[in-house]
Amino acid sequence: MDDRSKHDHSGWEAVVLAARERARLRQALMVERFGLSGDVQYDWSMDDAQITWSRDGKVFLTGRLTVIGSVSVSQQTWLWSWANESLPHAALGDMERVRQFGEENDYPVLPWSGFTYDPELVAEARMVAASVLDAEGLWAESMDDVQLHFMIHDLALAAERQ
């Protein structure tokens, strides 16, 4: 079920527009509020679904990750995290709610386990997923043949350590 025309309708377009604006605002707020530009390093783990940011070797921010999905660059395919059995359970968060939202509202791209890679469709799917799960931000990581797409939740300043 990879027919993009099945989900191109005014309801989907309205959800995407709202999600795109929400993601743009929240991403900008996250970067500004927590100073996530410049010489910031990060470390992440899917095993415990955590991300930390540091500056000069000192962690200043922590958050929880949810894997949205992944792109296989060589195969040019998208796979939702809820359909990827190789991911640690902690990294899935509430992704089942995104699939259910798609089923309940007749947005087929959300409950499809995967589809042929289309950058715009992946962007739409990411933003709608982030909106459904009230994410604070979006993040992606590329390695080897895979692009991983994440949501960021529960950001908290690290306790000062002396």
Side-chain angles (χ1 to χ4, degrees):
M1 292 201 167
D2 191 27
D3 183 2
R4 183 180 170 104
S5 66
K6 289 183 179 179
H7 75 273
D8 279 344
H9 53 76
S10 61
W12 175 252
E13 291 171 10
V15 166
V16 168
L17 284 174
R20 188 180 309 269
E21 181 62 12
R22 181 193 174 286
R24 185 186 68 75
L25 291 172
R26 291 201 92 176
Q27 195 79 13
L29 178 64
M30 180 183 74
V31 170
E32 180 182 331
R33 179 178 176 206
F34 296 109
L36 298 178
S37 59
D39 64 341
V40 176
Q41 294 81 41
Y42 62 90
D43 188 36
W44 60 280
S45 166
M46 277 198 284
D47 291 333
D48 62 3
Q50 295 294 310
I51 185 167
T52 59
W53 288 268
S54 60
R55 193 173 272 118
D56 299 324
K58 295 180 182 173
V59 171
F60 67 91
L61 183 66
T62 62
R64 179 173 56 87
L65 292 176
T66 299
V67 179
I68 302 168
S70 57
V71 172
S72 167
V73 176
S74 63
Q75 295 178 12
Q76 291 291 289
T77 56
W78 166 265
L79 180 63
W80 284 102
S81 63
W82 55 261
N84 188 340
E85 295 177 4
S86 70
L87 294 175
H89 182 73
L92 299 179
D94 293 328
M95 282 301 296
E96 184 62 23
R97 284 184 32 215
V98 174
R99 187 191 61 72
Q100 291 170 346
F101 178 79
E103 287 179 349
E104 292 166 3
N105 293 284
D106 196 28
Y107 303 136
V109 72
L110 300 178
W112 290 340
S113 60
F115 49 85
T116 301
Y117 175 66
D118 172 335
E120 183 60 26
L121 188 54
V122 167
E124 292 173 357
R126 286 174 38 138
M127 287 181 277
V128 170
S131 182
V132 169
L133 297 184
D134 196 31
E136 293 184 59
L138 291 164
W139 176 61
E141 181 82 21
S142 293
M143 60 182 105
D144 301 325
D145 182 50
V146 178
Q147 293 174 358
L148 295 170
H149 296 270
F150 300 91
M151 286 180 252
I152 300 170
H153 309 270
D154 305 330
L155 289 172
L157 292 172
E160 288 188 27
R161 297 175 194 199
Q162 297 183 2

